[in-house]
Amino acid sequence: MKTKNSDFVRQILVTVSLVVCIVGSMIGVGVFGGTPIAQAAGGALSADSTLLAPATPAFSIWSVVYTGLVAFTVWQWLPSQRSNPRQRALGWVVAGSMLLNAAWILSVQAGWLPVSVVVIVALLAVLVMAFLRYSRTRASSWVEAVVVDGTLGLYLGWTSVAVCANIAAALKAAGFSGFGLRPDVWSVAVLAVVAVVGIALAVKGHGRLALAAAIAWGLVWITVGRSADAPQSTPTAIAAAVAAVAVLGAAVIVRTRTTAAPVRVRGGRNG
């Protein structure tokens, strides 16, 4: 009975967190009297604020992520999912991520850029925790693979890029001079780290395509932004494009090998 009650509390918390997250997102796009994120905090997070800011169309991925979170919330209410070990491992974490999402939007609305960095780093950590948990097992159906693995993969992938843009914006607002190094040097170095992290996640997650696709999406729009809009930076644009190809390519290669591996093991003569 205690376990059943815990499952019900988890389902309720996920649902309430979704509502808070959606209300926060509405504030973040200017509804309910809020200021659009691109204009909040003095425009620190606009598409032309730093070299690591993705072009405006990149942020449309949030509509897909939010749709996925709604689907996740509905999915976890199905009778078959109430006591599902995957849901028990993920529900609390996903709820936490949605509350942090709303907290991030409100911190930006308030102009608290240093606080927004702390919140988005915490969000990234929570999403990595979710990734490690759902990567331990396979989804039981293609629907679960899309609703759970796909949604959380997109969420983590995009946040991995967004955290870099957020930190860059906060540093610029704080007057960080880069220790005398050119901004291009810093941006290329950060993008190299993103590529390494993306490849590592591809390996750890057995080639999760949604995760890699979201990282690549953000990186491609950094390429577009630095090629077409101010501040322009050819080194940054090239580095972002190379990183996008590297992350997506690694995921495809790992996934292909992972899919083929059981066949070689069962055959016993092909490895």
Side-chain angles (χ1 to χ4, degrees), residues 7 15 52 93 105 146 185:
D7 288 336
T15 305
L52 292 175
V93 181
I105 292 172
V146 172
V185 175

mmCIF file of all heavy atoms in Angstrom, residues 7 15 52 93 105 146 185:
data_model
loop_
_atom_site.group_PDB
_atom_site.id
_atom_site.type_symbol
_atom_site.label_atom_id
_atom_site.label_comp_id
_atom_site.label_asym_id
_atom_site.label_seq_id
_atom_site.Cartn_x
_atom_site.Cartn_y
_atom_site.Cartn_z
ATOM 1 N N ASP A 7 3.562 5.907 -5.565
ATOM 2 C CA ASP A 7 3.385 6.026 -7.009
ATOM 3 C C ASP A 7 2.376 7.116 -7.340
ATOM 4 O O ASP A 7 2.577 7.916 -8.262
ATOM 5 C CB ASP A 7 2.891 4.694 -7.595
ATOM 6 C CG ASP A 7 3.972 3.619 -7.606
ATOM 7 O OD1 ASP A 7 5.164 3.979 -7.615
ATOM 8 O OD2 ASP A 7 3.621 2.431 -7.589
ATOM 9 N N THR A 15 2.485 15.889 -12.614
ATOM 10 C CA THR A 15 1.424 16.674 -13.243
ATOM 11 C C THR A 15 1.465 18.134 -12.795
ATOM 12 O O THR A 15 1.363 19.053 -13.611
ATOM 13 C CB THR A 15 0.049 16.061 -12.920
ATOM 14 O OG1 THR A 15 0.035 14.691 -13.311
ATOM 15 C CG2 THR A 15 -1.056 16.811 -13.651
ATOM 16 N N LEU A 52 28.124 32.397 -28.731
ATOM 17 C CA LEU A 52 27.548 31.068 -28.499
ATOM 18 C C LEU A 52 26.020 31.080 -28.479
ATOM 19 O O LEU A 52 25.400 30.071 -28.148
ATOM 20 C CB LEU A 52 28.071 30.498 -27.181
ATOM 21 C CG LEU A 52 29.571 30.157 -27.167
ATOM 22 C CD1 LEU A 52 30.007 29.712 -25.775
ATOM 23 C CD2 LEU A 52 29.892 29.078 -28.192
ATOM 24 N N VAL A 93 12.565 12.741 -10.935
ATOM 25 C CA VAL A 93 13.631 13.511 -11.587
ATOM 26 C C VAL A 93 13.052 14.433 -12.659
ATOM 27 O O VAL A 93 13.431 15.606 -12.764
ATOM 28 C CB VAL A 93 14.678 12.563 -12.201
ATOM 29 C CG1 VAL A 93 15.795 13.353 -12.868
ATOM 30 C CG2 VAL A 93 15.255 11.640 -11.138
ATOM 31 N N ILE A 105 13.298 30.376 -16.025
ATOM 32 C CA ILE A 105 12.581 31.438 -16.729
ATOM 33 C C ILE A 105 12.322 32.622 -15.800
ATOM 34 O O ILE A 105 12.537 33.783 -16.165
ATOM 35 C CB ILE A 105 11.251 30.907 -17.295
ATOM 36 C CG1 ILE A 105 11.524 29.905 -18.424
ATOM 37 C CG2 ILE A 105 10.374 32.051 -17.809
ATOM 38 C CD1 ILE A 105 10.295 29.187 -18.930
ATOM 39 N N VAL A 146 9.584 6.908 -27.817
ATOM 40 C CA VAL A 146 9.379 8.283 -28.286
ATOM 41 C C VAL A 146 9.031 9.203 -27.127
ATOM 42 O O VAL A 146 9.634 10.268 -26.947
ATOM 43 C CB VAL A 146 8.271 8.331 -29.361
ATOM 44 C CG1 VAL A 146 7.925 9.775 -29.694
ATOM 45 C CG2 VAL A 146 8.705 7.589 -30.612
ATOM 46 N N VAL A 185 38.512 32.414 -29.601
ATOM 47 C CA VAL A 185 39.262 31.332 -28.958
ATOM 48 C C VAL A 185 38.399 30.656 -27.899
ATOM 49 O O VAL A 185 38.332 29.413 -27.818
ATOM 50 C CB VAL A 185 40.559 31.874 -28.319
ATOM 51 C CG1 VAL A 185 41.276 30.770 -27.539
ATOM 52 C CG2 VAL A 185 41.473 32.465 -29.389
#
